[in-house]
Amino acid sequence: MKKILTLLIFFAFLFSSAQNPELGKTKINLKNFPLQIDVHHFYKEQIETYNKSLELYNQGKTDEAYSNKLLKNYKNVEGIDTLYIADSEYLLLYEMQGMETKDTLATFGDIKFEQLNMISNNDNEFQSLRAVSFSYKDDKKNFKALKTVLEKEYGSPKLIKTNESEIYRWLDKDFIMLITLVTQKENDIETYYYANYFLINRNESDKLKTNFKKISGYWNIDWNLVL
């Protein structure tokens, strides 16, 4: 009886995690991303952890503020940026301020992503996501692998060229999917590669196209070109 109860609790936990994913606790499968995700809940504990750490630091309790016990699952989310569109309309940006290369917060096939940022509207409805896959001195293997797996899943992409980069775009009934590559140099040698995977709620794309141009520097994408 005790074993049965333990199993029931375990399966209830798995079901709850699947229905209400949280950053750092639930590894997101981007291939089957849940359109109805509760964005605020996904980041809620992260923001609470940051606020608790800041409160302890301000109280002079530095050791507690930076303790492993408190920050063990913390993923550098410091708060929510409110992006005002109109008097009663706004977007909420949940963004990690860094990443740990050992983390796997999301996957698409065998490609792992170490950073997840999202936007919701003021009704907490998912608008868009940026997942970042980092690699070091690997000749862009992460980006090439991501492009290959997306081509297998969705077919040939539309190529959009800009002055700074190339953007590849796919569409399905729910989402617009984009990938870009950001390269950083060290001593004039290409060293760090960031493959960016953008997922955009297709039903909201017209609204987003109108709103994004009012937001300077939003994830460094010219949304008029891709939406």
Side-chain angles (χ1 to χ4, degrees):
M1 184 69 181
K2 187 176 181 181
K3 288 183 178 179
I4 294 174
L5 182 59
T6 302
L7 284 172
L8 288 173
I9 293 171
F10 174 73
F11 285 120
F13 171 77
L14 288 180
F15 179 78
S16 176
S17 297
Q19 296 298 310
N20 300 290
E22 296 179 58
L23 179 62
K25 291 184 177 181
T26 312
K27 190 183 297 183
I28 297 294
N29 180 357
L30 294 173
K31 182 179 177 180
N32 299 307
F33 184 79
L35 183 60
Q36 303 303 323
I37 187 171
D38 185 333
V39 179
H40 182 72
H41 179 79
F42 187 75
Y43 291 95
K44 182 173 181 283
E45 186 173 301
Q46 296 290 320
I47 296 168
E48 290 174 347
T49 299
Y50 172 77
N51 290 335
K52 181 62 176 177
S53 179
L54 186 61
E55 178 186 355
L56 290 168
Y57 178 82
N58 290 334
Q59 292 172 356
K61 300 176 181 178
T62 308
D63 289 344
E64 292 180 51
Y66 298 119
S67 68
N68 183 61
K69 181 180 179 181
L70 178 62
L71 302 180
K72 183 178 181 180
N73 194 47
Y74 180 57
K75 305 301 179 186
N76 298 300
V77 180
E78 297 181 0
I80 308 168
D81 285 339
T82 304
L83 311 173
Y84 288 97
I85 304 305
D87 290 342
S88 59
E89 186 176 3
Y90 52 88
L91 300 176
L92 297 173
L93 173 60
Y94 299 80
E95 193 163 36
M96 293 172 59
Q97 301 304 314
M99 68 170 70
E100 293 286 342
T101 56
K102 63 179 174 56
D103 280 341
T104 301
L105 304 179
T107 59
F108 199 120
D110 294 329
I111 297 96
K112 68 172 188 172
F113 296 85
E114 300 87 3
Q115 189 181 80
L116 279 176
N117 306 311
M118 292 190 205
I119 281 188
S120 71
N121 61 16
N122 46 305
D123 292 322
N124 195 35
E125 296 169 334
F126 172 79
Q127 305 292 288
S128 64
L129 166 152
R130 180 182 67 174
V132 182
S133 177
F134 170 82
S135 60
Y136 176 68
K137 293 184 178 179
D138 77 342
D139 192 28
K140 309 175 187 177
K141 286 181 182 177
N142 60 336
F143 179 78
K144 292 175 180 177
L146 179 59
K147 181 172 177 287
T148 297
V149 75
L150 286 166
E151 286 176 332
K152 288 180 179 178
E153 187 68 25
Y154 303 110
S156 299
K158 177 179 180 180
L159 173 60
I160 302 166
K161 292 188 177 182
T162 70
N163 292 331
E164 294 81 20
S165 63
E166 294 181 342
I167 302 169
Y168 295 87
R169 186 184 75 177
W170 291 263
L171 305 174
D172 72 5
K173 64 182 182 66
D174 293 320
F175 297 109
I176 298 170
M177 292 143 287
L178 313 169
I179 59 170
T180 65
L181 177 67
V182 176
T183 304
Q184 291 185 352
K185 294 183 178 181
E186 194 173 77
N187 299 322
D188 294 323
I189 299 173
E190 289 188 358
T191 306
Y192 304 100
Y193 302 95
Y194 300 86
N196 292 313
Y197 175 70
F198 297 88
L199 197 61
I200 299 159
N201 184 343
R202 193 168 180 180
N203 288 333
E204 299 290 324
S205 61
D206 288 341
K207 187 188 301 182
L208 292 175
K209 183 174 181 178
T210 301
N211 291 336
F212 282 164
K213 66 183 181 182
K214 302 175 185 177
I215 304 166
S216 176
Y218 168 67
W219 290 347
N220 298 317
I221 287 281
D222 185 345
W223 298 103
N224 286 314
L225 288 177
V226 299
L227 295 181

